[in-house]
Amino acid sequence: MSQLLRQHAEQLFAHELEELKKQDTDKRPANWVLSPQSVVTYLIGGKLKNGFEVSPKYIGNRRLMEIAVATLTTDRALLLYGLPGTAKSWVSEHLAAGVSGDSTLIIQGTAGTSEESVRYGWNYARLIAEGPSAGALVETPVMRAMKDGKIVRLEELTRIGADVQDTLITILSEKTLPVPELNMEVQAIKGFNVIATANNRDKGVNELSSALKRRFNTVILPLPDSIEEEIDIVRRRVESFEKVMELPAEPPALQEIRRIVTIFRELRSGVTLDGKTKIKIPTGTLSTAEAISVVNSGLSMAAYFGDGQLKAADVAASIIGSVIKDPVQDKLVWQEYLETVVKTRSDWSDIYRACRDL
């Protein structure tokens, strides 16, 4: 087994990508490793003509993935938009792997992301010694993607300052990257495109200018429609985590995953699943990604400080940590939910006791 803590999508699913290439008979756009139809199959999963099973990477509306892939065949960039934890980065990575066979051309957006991080930088030792030259130029992932005809990923676009965001406009509209210091420009070759992710829920976001918005086709990734869909997402991601971390714990029972997902969905929506009891909503997002984290944390507790079987006591602390982001407001919300909902469910007495004791 690989010693890497986390493999890139094209490494982890290399066998599936290779099998899809062998079976792919549809037309591929220039510099794409798979046809658009096969990229969607890679994302959604399915059975190939030879019986090979492709695992689903995104569990949700197939049409959304078709729109995303179709966008990348045009000259418009793709913006994956949604609440935190709706698999925007996950989908972005797998789209890049399916289209370019390379998901590593990435810029992580932060408040400190500079214009040089997006366009190009300089090796200052060589710049001082030689002056501006091609050898002193430091290529960014955007520049490399343009030269190689690949997908570049811009994570958390709205965390980047507005002035830096706007450096993308020329790249997206003209498909060129001017380098005035060398009196030259880099022109994008076919296959180049941009996948950006953004959400408007976190603090510290910057609004996108209307000029930049017009250059993106936006696909909004929703929260899972049904509880069964969300449970399936959590189960699959947890199984993957267990394999990578080689935890000496039993796979979590679906009952435990169902309870965690139920808690998150009820607190997120402000009403119990049966629609009978209204409850207050905490300040946190309580996303599917956080539910996965709670189960993973519980598995680690069970493996190293328990009997290897996931129990309520193993996940209680992580649930509380996910719910209570504001120590005053969220604590009251959680205590009310614990007493009015969790306590009344006879088969939830263990999780009620574990949470109450903490």
Side-chain angles (χ1 to χ4, degrees):
M1 182 174 287
S2 170
Q3 290 299 304
L4 294 175
L5 188 59
R6 186 186 187 282
Q7 292 181 301
H8 298 303
E10 60 273 17
Q11 297 171 324
L12 191 59
F13 297 97
H15 186 44
E16 290 188 10
L17 289 167
E18 189 58 38
E19 199 64 38
L20 279 162
K21 282 182 196 175
K22 291 178 185 176
Q23 303 294 316
D24 198 353
T25 56
D26 295 305
K27 186 177 179 181
R28 303 179 193 179
N31 289 317
W32 280 42
V33 297
L34 294 174
S35 66
Q37 296 92 327
S38 290
V39 174
V40 171
T41 301
Y42 170 67
L43 287 163
I44 296 296
K47 184 177 286 190
L48 304 184
K49 292 177 182 177
N50 64 351
F52 184 86
E53 287 276 357
V54 177
S55 63
K57 318 300 178 302
Y58 177 75
I59 298 172
N61 191 326
R62 180 188 183 93
R63 194 62 175 170
L64 290 178
M65 294 300 101
E66 291 175 345
I67 294 168
V69 173
T71 296
L72 295 174
T73 67
T74 71
D75 63 348
R76 288 177 69 82
L78 173 65
L79 176 61
L80 298 175
Y81 200 70
L83 293 173
T86 47
K88 298 182 298 295
S89 297
W90 179 256
V91 170
S92 168
E93 180 182 1
H94 286 286
L95 275 169
V99 171
S100 299
D102 183 359
S103 64
T104 63
L105 296 173
I106 179 172
I107 295 172
Q108 179 61 55
T110 69
T113 301
S114 65
E115 187 176 332
E116 290 76 18
S117 303
V118 176
R119 296 175 70 240
Y120 56 86
W122 295 99
N123 179 327
Y124 287 103
R126 294 192 66 171
L127 186 65
I128 292 169
E130 306 170 4
S133 66
L137 195 69
V138 177
E139 296 182 352
T140 63
V142 172
M143 184 179 278
R144 289 200 300 276
M146 293 177 76
K147 285 183 171 182
D148 297 340
K150 292 184 175 182
I151 299 291
V152 63
R153 299 163 55 209
L154 283 168
E155 293 293 320
E156 302 290 356
L157 180 60
T158 48
R159 288 190 173 277
I160 300 174
D163 55 333
V164 180
Q165 288 178 8
D166 285 344
T167 63
L168 289 167
I169 292 175
T170 302
I171 295 168
L172 296 179
S173 58
E174 305 297 329
K175 308 302 180 194
T176 63
L177 178 53
V179 187
E181 297 91 339
L182 300 179
N183 193 28
M184 61 168 277
E185 65 179 9
V186 174
Q187 291 183 292
I189 70 169
K190 290 180 179 179
F192 166 74
N193 215 327
V194 175
I195 303 174
T197 65
N199 75 75
N200 63 349
R201 184 71 181 267
D202 286 348
K203 294 177 181 178
V205 300
N206 301 286
E207 283 295 320
L208 301 180
S209 68
S210 58
L212 190 55
K213 283 180 181 176
R214 286 197 304 271
R215 285 156 176 85
F216 282 102
N217 189 30
T218 301
V219 172
I220 298 173
L221 296 184
L223 292 165
D225 284 337
S226 68
I227 187 170
E228 298 303 330
E229 190 175 279
E230 191 162 2
I231 288 169
D232 193 27
I233 293 168
V234 174
R235 178 185 63 79
R236 289 175 182 276
R237 293 294 297 276
V238 168
E239 285 176 358
S240 175
F241 171 81
E242 277 194 290
K243 288 177 184 175
V244 171
M245 302 306 294
E246 301 179 31
L247 289 177
E250 295 178 19
L254 275 180
Q255 175 196 357
E256 291 301 334
I257 293 177
R258 180 177 290 277
R259 291 202 294 189
I260 292 165
V261 171
T262 298
I263 290 169
F264 275 40
R265 288 182 74 89
E266 290 181 333
L267 286 170
R268 213 160 57 203
S269 62
V271 64
T272 53
L273 292 184
D274 58 13
K276 293 180 179 179
T277 307
K278 287 189 176 181
I279 49 186
K280 293 186 177 72
I281 299 174
T283 59
T285 56
L286 296 178
S287 66
T288 309
E290 289 169 291
I292 293 165
S293 179
V294 167
V295 180
N296 287 343
S297 178
L299 282 171
S300 295
M301 288 289 291
Y304 298 111
F305 302 103
D307 61 4
Q309 187 174 0
L310 186 67
K311 294 184 173 67
D314 299 316
V315 297
S318 295
I319 291 174
I320 294 171
S322 293
V323 174
I324 302 179
K325 301 301 184 186
D326 183 307
V328 178
Q329 182 180 336
D330 290 343
K331 186 177 181 182
L332 293 174
V333 171
W334 173 244
Q335 287 176 337
E336 182 178 313
Y337 177 75
L338 203 60
E339 296 299 325
T340 60
V341 178
V342 178
K343 187 178 181 180
T344 61
R345 292 171 174 163
S346 59
D347 55 340
W348 283 33
S349 57
D350 56 342
I351 200 163
Y352 170 74
R353 288 194 302 271
C355 291
R356 186 194 58 189
D357 292 345
L358 285 171

